[in-house]
Amino acid sequence: MSAFLQVVIAGLVTGSLYGLLTLGIVLIYRTTGVLNFAYGAIASLCACFMYILLTGPRLNFWIALVLTLLFSLLLGIVLERGFARPVLHAPVFTKAIATLALALVLETIAQAIWPQLAEVQHFSTPFEGQALHLGGVYLSAIDIVILVVTASLMLVLNLFLMHTRMGIAMRAMADNIPATRLMGASVGRIFMLVWALSSFLAAICGILLAGQSNLINVQFMDPILLPAFIGAVLGGLDSLPGSLIGGILVGLVSNLLAYFLAGHMLGAVDMSNPAIRDTLIFVGFVIVLLIRPQGLRGRALLRRV
Amino acid sequence: MTQKPAVDQELAPDVVAQPELTGKKTLGGRLASQRVWLGCIAGILALILLPMLSDLIFGGSSDFQLHHISLIGIFILAALAQNILTGYAAQPSLGNAAFFGVSAYVLTWLSSDLGQPYWIGILAAVVVSALLGLIVGTPALRISGAHLAVATLGLVTTVGALLNFWDTTAGRQNYDLSNLPDFLNDDRTLYYFIFAIVVCLLFLSYHLLHSRVGRAWIAIRDNETAAEAFGINLTKYKLQAFVISAAMTGLAGSLYATWATTASSSMSSADQTIAFLAMIVVGGLGSLTGSILGAIFVGFLPLLLGQLPSPMVIGSFQLQISTLITGIYGLLLLLVLIFFPSGLSSLGTQAGNWLQRKPSKGGTE
Amino acid sequence: MTEVVPARSLLEIHKLTVRFGGLVAINELDLQIAEGEIFALVGPNGAGKTTVLNCISGLIKPAAGNIQFEGRELLSLPAHKRASLGIGRTFQQLQLFSSMTVLDNLLTARHTQLQAGILSGMLPFGRSKREDAHARQQAMETLTLLGLESYAQRRAGSLPFGAQKLIGVARALVLHPRLVLLDEPAAGVPPQEVQELATRLRFWQKELGTTLLLIEHNMRLVQAVADRVCVLDYGSKLAEGDPKTVLSDPAVLEAYLGRGASKAVQQEGVSHVEG
């Protein structure tokens, strides 16, 4: 039983990381129509930046963290101005391709300025090696941090979107840009804020993931980008709580599958291989999409003629 | 969801002709088809003469260069396949790399492991790809836009992971293709073989895209509602596009395995998807010439950058050339998307329009 | 013009009901359209006129009712099969295949009358080329009939609005359809050209033997061409009959111009109502 509970908690932790990513993905998609495949690269760039601060000038962890978060905000603004704005009126598919290209560019830049990060490096945090034992369940300090950070970020983000002028305008924009223009909110400023906010979320997710595995390289976010996107689509791509739930669901299912498949062989096939797990998740995702094309809780779209 | 690219003006240059010149069989139309024919003949002649030219320029390394140029032929097939699906039938699928990888493995498995003749292997690879296209296309039609992009990209990475898993399970480092017919081991005959296929398929595709089927695809791209109201079975034609595209990508994939004499799981990866998309976006969506230009562009880039020393040192930065190549792909793709959204193939006509002070206007939509 | 009761119905709409969410867009509508007549559907914006056309061409599935075309039930047919029965249409927002040439637009409209599939389409000879050549000839004839032949090789999306409008009509007529659905043919047409448009509509009806079902806000056009008129308001039939009687009906004026305003308005006042 406690082993199972352990798996569920691990699933929630993984799910929270996915959820942070899905949140940023959906935030950008809803407001600017950009399906951001460069999101993993943004997260990894920020985490790499922090690694450099920690190892190069040997800054204190917390100072490096604050600088990295500031860097992520700046990065978001730069990307909005330099990338999102020029392609704003392109069709959604073109924008999606453009983000794939952006991901390549960001990764190349990272590798060019930090060649040591082409290889896997050790990413240390103050939480390393600390853990909590609660009635047979083992909780590492970083896992607790991940859960707490995700929950509090959700709370703050929710308050921001529900109760501040900017947040309300942002939500309005997710539905309809012209209406927001009429309300007098500056669309440009909202776009900038959305990109800054979502790269802030990406940075946090990247740092937490690097902190959890204590490993980092330029491409370390690549494997979790697809699960995050699957979570985002399952959440319907149209609601922030939905996307978080979608992300958590994928994390949970992934860990449960790993638990149940461990040690099983199907003929000569080792079922515990991550490739099998990812395939099962993907197949499940496609089946869900076929049954509910609009995602688990997304709204069906009316077709206008 | 998808871009509405300019019509393939390269292949129908008479669309900007003066009204009084057009009619049932006009001077403009005849000149246009003559131009297309002349272009085709010139292209084929150039392809035949290229090996001799290569001998003159490169001497001893000529075969090596030809080998690399053959890759561009394979890319043309892949770009054509992606363009039919995305540029013509407007299906935003990122999944073609999966067929590219699977077909290479099917060919290698049949040929190397089961000892079947090469031709059976190629045929099986194409058929399997077409079937996979049908299997992927059927649900894909029910999933739209952004969801489809995510699902198909997921397909590519999942298939790549499975192929890699197969390699690991079978305990092999490389999956080498053996039992090739002799003439395919020779760089020069391989070159002729690949380009003969490319020319054939370009020819067939040109006619297909200008037939009832091609018009149905373009109609779906331009206006799905009107297409349906005029009796076009959307499901059928989208599915046909998926199957044709998958079969053609399968052919490209098995030729790639032949070219590299090995199958690799990285053929079904996000990077491969980006390469295919880069070809059609840089070349021009919905344009045959665009597919060719895009493939040449993507194929030549590593050839050119390969001349640079690796790793390259700029000040305190140093870069592996292979990394630089992907970065430059990305950057060029971005620049093209921002500044020339209709691709290289439209540049010629745009320049022509500008010279004649006839700016090409988009439709009232 | 005076034939009020149709001798033989080409299209029969029976108790058609369409709902969007909770909103009833069409409410138990009955319509009979006779072979060879010009029938106008008028009414304020949002009355559900285009919805009726969309039901006929299959772009919307009604909640209830049935539509029979030459005695054949339409609603059980998928949209793409209805065109082949001989129903052509135009759209309010044109909806041309804008990247194609005008000629290809017309060839595409003849899709259901051609057979070539992938294999024959790939070949430079054979059935595909033969039937395309024939279809091209017929398309040119239609373009010539409408005086559009000079546009044949132009890109549809690059033409001026008025020309695009006519090409939309040509695309509907190239099938030699039994019934043509016209969604606001006069919208965007300069007032001085409306009379010409009326002549054209009459000409198509006579020359091609086509039945026309048109939606129109321009009452001058409706009065000039329509054999019969039906006024829709909030998805229900408000009045039906010959144009003169129906368009001077106070209830109709009220629906168009709002309560109270109708009394002050002369017959000429409604001659050009734009929603």
Side-chain angles (χ1 to χ4, degrees):
Chain A
M1 186 59 212
S2 75
F4 183 72
L5 196 62
Q6 186 77 57
V7 171
V8 171
I9 290 174
L12 284 178
V13 172
T14 319
S16 300
L17 289 174
Y18 292 168
L20 284 176
L21 277 188
T22 55
L23 215 56
I25 290 167
V26 172
L27 202 58
I28 289 188
Y29 181 68
R30 288 300 295 169
T31 44
T32 63
V34 174
L35 193 64
N36 193 358
F37 287 117
Y39 205 56
I42 294 171
S44 126
L45 193 65
C46 294
C48 287
F49 181 78
M50 179 151 172
Y51 168 82
I52 294 300
L53 290 184
L54 288 173
T55 54
R58 299 194 171 278
L59 290 183
N60 169 283
F61 180 84
W62 301 104
I63 296 176
L65 179 68
V66 171
L67 286 177
T68 303
L69 293 179
L70 286 177
F71 170 76
S72 75
L73 292 174
L74 191 69
L75 179 67
I77 291 169
V78 169
L79 288 179
E80 198 276 327
R81 288 285 144 162
F83 168 77
R85 191 146 311 184
V87 297
L88 181 63
H89 297 292
V92 174
F93 181 61
T94 311
K95 287 197 261 195
I97 298 176
T99 64
L100 283 169
L102 179 66
L104 288 184
V105 173
L106 291 180
E107 274 179 14
T108 310
I109 291 175
Q111 288 199 24
I113 49 180
W114 306 314
Q116 69 269 39
L117 277 163
E119 309 295 326
V120 177
Q121 303 287 345
H122 183 86
F123 186 90
S124 54
T125 68
F127 312 107
E128 215 171 325
Q130 299 176 34
L132 205 64
H133 288 272
L134 274 178
V137 175
Y138 169 89
L139 261 177
S140 70
I142 189 76
D143 287 353
I144 299 172
V145 170
I146 289 172
L147 291 173
V148 170
V149 167
T150 308
S152 29
L153 266 180
M154 264 324 279
L155 197 70
V156 172
L157 195 62
N158 200 38
L159 287 176
F160 170 74
L161 288 174
M162 292 295 166
H163 298 290
T164 65
R165 213 179 104 80
M166 207 58 179
I168 292 168
M170 219 184 255
R171 277 195 300 138
M173 172 127 60
D175 290 328
N176 194 329
I177 295 183
T180 321
R181 276 227 171 89
L182 289 178
M183 274 170 52
S186 154
V187 176
R189 265 176 56 205
I190 296 178
F191 279 0
M192 212 145 84
L193 191 65
V194 164
W195 274 83
L197 192 61
S198 72
S199 70
F200 179 84
L201 288 172
I204 289 184
C205 178
I207 293 165
L208 288 175
L209 185 71
Q212 193 196 27
S213 59
N214 291 119
L215 298 173
I216 188 168
N217 74 351
V218 168
Q219 283 153 348
F220 84 112
M221 291 296 291
D222 285 5
I224 88 159
L225 187 63
L226 187 68
F229 264 100
I230 288 180
V233 172
L234 285 180
L237 274 180
D238 68 345
S239 85
L240 295 178
S243 67
L244 185 75
I245 292 167
I248 291 178
L249 188 72
V250 173
L252 210 53
V253 169
S254 168
N255 276 271
L256 286 174
L257 272 177
Y259 175 67
F260 287 121
L261 291 176
H264 286 279
M265 298 288 283
L266 191 77
V269 180
D270 177 10
M271 296 301 281
S272 59
N273 189 292
I276 299 289
R277 191 176 65 213
D278 291 348
T279 307
L280 288 175
I281 291 178
F282 177 71
V283 170
F285 161 69
V286 170
I287 292 173
V288 170
L289 260 193
L290 289 181
I291 299 169
R292 290 187 60 86
Q294 72 276 27
L296 284 175
R297 58 180 303 286
R299 282 163 287 172
L301 294 174
L302 269 184
R303 184 171 141 192
R304 264 199 76 86
V305 179
Chain B
M1 176 68 199
T2 35
Q3 190 161 19
K4 288 190 177 164
V7 69
D8 185 354
Q9 300 193 330
E10 195 75 19
L11 289 166
D14 47 345
V15 287
V16 285
Q18 292 299 315
E20 55 270 26
L21 281 181
T22 56
K24 269 178 195 168
K25 186 75 185 177
T26 62
L27 182 62
R30 226 175 298 142
L31 283 177
S33 59
Q34 271 176 17
R35 249 176 62 185
V36 171
W37 274 111
L38 282 177
C40 289
I41 291 166
I44 291 170
L45 269 179
L47 284 173
I48 293 173
L49 294 178
L50 194 65
M52 294 153 209
L53 192 69
S54 166
D55 284 349
L56 279 178
I57 298 173
F58 299 109
S61 72
S62 168
D63 280 2
F64 174 76
Q65 304 295 342
L66 276 183
H67 189 65
H68 210 109
I69 292 171
S70 304
L71 182 59
I72 292 172
I74 296 171
F75 283 171
I76 291 177
L77 287 183
L80 188 58
Q82 181 81 55
N83 220 340
I84 285 178
L85 184 60
T86 307
Y88 284 92
Q91 298 309 297
S93 165
L94 308 179
N96 273 8
F99 311 130
F100 196 65
V102 167
S103 62
Y105 273 74
V106 169
L107 171 65
T108 310
W109 180 61
L110 282 171
S111 185
S112 301
D113 288 7
L114 303 186
Q116 296 295 318
Y118 176 78
W119 303 107
I120 302 271
I122 287 262
L123 190 68
V126 172
V127 170
V128 167
S129 290
L131 282 177
L132 275 179
L134 191 66
I135 293 170
V136 172
T138 311
L141 296 186
R142 300 196 45 202
I143 305 169
S144 61
H147 296 185
L148 183 64
V150 172
T152 47
L153 196 61
L155 176 78
V156 167
T157 52
T158 307
V159 166
L162 282 178
L163 293 177
N164 183 43
F165 176 60
W166 186 19
D167 283 344
T168 332
T169 313
R172 58 188 173 224
Q173 290 290 318
N174 297 307
Y175 199 15
D176 287 334
L177 178 62
S178 47
N179 291 336
L180 279 183
D182 278 342
F183 77 96
L184 292 179
N185 285 319
D186 179 76
D187 285 332
R188 189 160 301 229
T189 40
L190 178 69
Y191 164 87
Y192 282 121
F193 173 64
I194 287 177
F195 275 98
I197 294 178
V198 169
V199 168
C200 275
L201 278 175
L202 279 173
F203 181 78
L204 296 177
S205 305
Y206 174 82
H207 285 288
L208 182 62
L209 292 170
H210 289 80
S211 78
R212 175 174 177 262
V213 178
R215 286 193 300 265
W217 286 335
I218 299 172
I220 290 171
R221 174 189 79 197
D222 279 6
N223 197 316
E224 211 171 284
T225 308
E228 198 176 12
F230 282 98
I232 291 169
N233 184 340
L234 301 182
T235 315
K236 178 177 154 192
Y237 282 94
K238 287 180 187 176
L239 207 53
Q240 282 186 349
F242 264 102
V243 173
I244 289 273
S245 179
M248 218 181 257
T249 311
L251 183 59
S254 43
L255 287 179
Y256 185 87
T258 310
W259 178 85
T261 62
T262 183
S264 141
S265 63
S266 66
M267 289 172 73
S268 178
S269 64
D271 284 356
Q272 193 66 59
T273 299
I274 299 172
F276 290 164
L277 292 172
M279 291 177 211
I280 64 162
V281 169
V282 170
L285 282 172
S287 156
L288 270 183
T289 19
S291 307
I292 301 172
L293 292 177
I296 291 175
F297 178 82
V298 170
F300 259 118
L301 197 60
L303 207 62
L304 294 177
L305 295 173
Q307 310 295 325
L308 300 171
S310 176
M312 196 164 61
V313 182
I314 311 164
S316 59
F317 302 144
Q318 57 164 0
L319 257 183
Q320 296 296 323
I321 287 301
S322 58
T323 320
L324 185 66
I325 288 171
T326 36
I328 288 181
Y329 274 157
L331 191 62
L332 287 172
L333 187 52
L334 265 186
L335 292 177
V336 168
L337 283 172
I338 293 172
F339 295 108
F340 309 106
S342 36
L344 289 179
S345 68
S346 69
L347 287 184
T349 33
Q350 271 174 13
N353 286 344
W354 185 75
L355 286 174
Q356 292 170 22
R357 291 179 176 274
K358 263 203 276 168
S360 70
K361 280 183 199 136
T364 27
E365 282 159 58
Chain C
M1 199 92 172
T2 50
E3 191 186 56
V4 174
V5 181
R8 182 175 166 268
S9 293
L10 182 69
L11 187 81
E12 280 193 43
I13 295 177
H14 186 60
K15 289 206 183 304
L16 188 74
T17 303
V18 177
R19 294 193 192 91
F20 294 127
L23 188 82
V24 179
I26 306 285
N27 189 16
E28 303 212 330
L29 179 71
D30 288 318
L31 280 182
Q32 276 95 39
I33 291 154
E35 178 103 58
E37 77 174 333
I38 297 183
F39 189 98
L41 204 52
V42 303
N45 280 337
K49 305 180 300 288
T50 300
T51 307
V52 173
L53 293 204
N54 285 342
C55 286
I56 298 171
S57 49
L59 302 175
I60 288 177
K61 284 213 186 319
N66 54 53
I67 302 177
Q68 288 185 334
F69 180 72
E70 298 190 296
R72 215 175 143 179
E73 183 54 52
L74 276 189
L75 293 182
S76 55
L77 288 178
H80 63 84
K81 290 218 169 126
R82 299 186 196 187
S84 56
L85 297 179
I87 302 177
R89 78 168 284 184
T90 68
F91 297 85
Q92 212 172 326
Q93 262 91 37
L94 305 179
Q95 320 264 28
L96 294 185
F97 305 123
S98 53
S99 76
M100 292 186 193
T101 62
V102 169
L103 190 59
D104 276 351
N105 263 276
L106 268 64
L107 288 187
T108 309
R110 288 185 63 91
H111 180 85
T112 54
Q113 294 176 347
L114 307 177
Q115 265 115 44
I118 288 180
L119 289 180
S120 104
M122 283 179 172
L123 298 177
F125 47 80
R127 181 161 82 183
S128 168
K129 295 288 132 148
R130 269 201 312 277
E131 64 178 22
D132 266 18
H134 179 67
R136 199 165 283 128
Q137 199 183 339
Q138 297 221 308
M140 282 312 295
E141 277 168 20
T142 306
L143 285 176
T144 312
L145 184 73
L146 297 180
L148 295 169
E149 68 274 23
S150 62
Y151 291 127
Q153 298 295 340
R154 301 279 295 274
R155 199 164 72 88
S158 68
L159 297 174
F161 181 80
Q164 292 200 30
K165 193 114 203 168
L166 282 173
I167 286 153
V169 174
R171 191 176 61 166
L173 291 178
V174 73
L175 277 163
H176 298 297
R178 307 288 307 280
L179 172 69
V180 179
L181 315 171
L182 298 168
D183 200 344
E184 300 204 22
V189 174
Q192 61 271 24
E193 288 173 26
V194 169
Q195 195 50 51
E196 194 190 326
L197 180 65
T199 321
R200 282 170 184 271
L201 288 174
R202 276 270 165 237
F203 176 72
W204 300 332
Q205 177 211 17
K206 293 243 161 58
E207 196 72 12
L208 304 172
T210 311
T211 308
L212 301 177
L213 169 55
L214 73 140
I215 290 178
E216 195 46 74
H217 278 301
N218 188 321
M219 292 307 146
R220 195 175 295 155
L221 181 70
V222 171
Q223 290 196 327
V225 300
D227 298 311
R228 287 192 304 140
V229 178
C230 168
V231 185
L232 274 189
D233 194 21
Y234 295 112
S236 302
K237 199 191 282 182
L238 200 62
E240 188 179 355
D242 76 284
K244 278 219 167 54
T245 334
V246 169
L247 296 179
S248 51
D249 184 337
V252 172
L253 294 178
E254 229 175 67
Y256 258 102
L257 298 170
R259 321 290 165 214
S262 61
K263 290 189 189 85
V265 176
Q266 302 289 307
Q267 170 75 31
E268 296 81 48
V270 279
S271 62
H272 194 107
V273 180
E274 289 288 353

